[in-house]
Amino acid sequence: QVQLVESGGGLVQAGGSLRLSCAASGRTFSNYAMGWFRQAPGKEREFVVTINRSGGSTYYRDFVKGRFTISRDNAKSTVYLQMNSLKPEDTAVYYCAASRILTLPSSASAYDYWGQGTQVTVSS
C-alpha cells in the first residue's frame, strides 16, 4: 500500500502561482511513476502531467505546457506540481496518484494509488 497526501492548494488570483506537494508513505516511492490529475465541478477527472520513477522523463497535457512543472524528490518521497500563470479554468480538485507502470501513464486506470485531493481555486 502507498498512502498519498496532497497539500498546497488554495485560492489565488489569475496569473498567480501555487505549488502542490504530494507526500508518499508506505512502499518504496521510487518504484512508482507519479501523476497529477484534476477534476472540476461537473466534469470528469482529467490527466494533467506525469513523471517517471527517476524524474528524468515527464509528459504534460498541452493545456499546462509552459505553465506547470512536475518534479520529484525520491529522498523525501514527495512529488511537486509548480503551477504558474494560473487561469480560472485551472480551478479544480487536484489529485496525485502512483503507478507501477514503467512508462509515462496518462490514463487514470493505470494508477494504483490516489490521494484525497487538494482544492485549487483561481479567481478572475
Side-chain angles (χ1 to χ4, degrees):
Q1 286 281 355
V2 175
Q3 292 77 43
L4 302 172
V5 179
E6 301 97 334
S7 61
L11 173 63
V12 65
Q13 288 189 333
S17 299
L18 283 174
R19 188 193 195 204
L20 305 183
S21 299
C22 173
S25 61
R27 297 190 176 180
T28 305
F29 180 69
S30 58
N31 286 344
Y32 295 86
M34 298 298 297
W36 286 95
F37 290 74
R38 69 186 187 185
Q39 187 167 18
K43 295 187 177 181
E44 293 188 353
R45 189 172 300 188
E46 63 179 356
F47 167 76
V48 177
V49 59
T50 184
I51 188 167
N52 71 345
R53 297 176 176 189
S54 68
S57 296
T58 57
Y59 172 59
Y60 293 85
R61 289 289 301 277
D62 285 346
F63 55 73
V64 300
K65 281 183 179 177
R67 300 190 300 124
F68 290 12
T69 303
I70 190 172
S71 61
R72 66 188 295 162
D73 185 336
N74 285 344
K76 294 183 178 180
S77 297
T78 302
V79 62
Y80 305 97
L81 184 63
Q82 178 66 45
M83 305 186 295
N84 299 328
S85 303
L86 283 162
K87 305 175 181 180
E89 51 264 42
D90 294 319
T91 295
V93 176
Y94 283 72
Y95 299 89
C96 72
S99 171
R100 288 170 289 188
I101 292 180
L102 290 175
T103 56
L104 296 169
S106 59
S107 170
S109 62
Y111 288 82
D112 306 289
Y113 304 101
W114 294 82
Q116 82 290 348
T118 186
Q119 177 70 47
V120 171
T121 303
V122 184
S123 63
S124 58

